[in-house]
Amino acid sequence: MKSKVLYKESVEKDYRRIDPFQRIRIKKKIDNDLANNPHTGKQLKGAYEELLSMRVGDYRVLYTFIPDGILIVRVAHRKEVYKRFF
């Protein structure tokens, strides 16, 4: 069963910083892999253990589960995603 994918408003800013080719690649990965198998990501540790991280090349998609489905919290390059978020 395909899960509903929702995006936090700040993800729009994240997408604007990413190369258009990478944006398409990330969007496809979210729509195909994540929506079909939401437990595909890696569980984060520490204070943010409620979040999961999915790898798309050098980019990371941080997400969490909500009653309506999946909430995408952050999309950024692997060097920046954890620094700017935490």
Side-chain angles (χ1 to χ4, degrees):
M1 187 170 121
K2 199 169 188 176
S3 298
K4 185 176 181 181
V5 178
L6 303 169
Y7 294 88
K8 192 172 173 186
E9 288 182 23
S10 62
V11 174
E12 280 298 318
K13 286 183 183 179
D14 293 339
Y15 271 137
R16 281 187 251 148
R17 295 180 185 138
I18 299 172
D19 175 60
F21 174 75
Q22 295 297 332
R23 266 186 263 170
I24 293 168
R25 185 175 170 205
I26 292 167
K27 184 74 171 145
K28 283 183 183 178
K29 185 86 169 176
I30 290 171
D31 291 341
N32 295 331
D33 296 349
L34 189 60
N36 291 325
N37 185 8
H39 297 283
T40 197
K42 181 174 102 173
Q43 188 80 35
L44 296 181
K45 297 179 181 178
Y48 300 99
E49 62 188 19
E50 72 275 359
L51 295 175
L52 288 94
S53 174
M54 182 178 73
R55 180 178 163 224
V56 184
D58 285 341
Y59 290 87
R60 301 295 182 264
V61 177
L62 300 182
Y63 64 98
T64 189
F65 296 107
I66 57 172
D68 294 338
I70 301 167
L71 177 65
I72 306 295
V73 178
R74 187 79 191 202
V75 178
H77 192 273
R78 64 185 179 92
K79 291 182 180 178
E80 301 172 355
V81 70
Y82 303 108
K83 291 178 188 176
R84 290 191 348 218
F85 186 70
F86 306 120

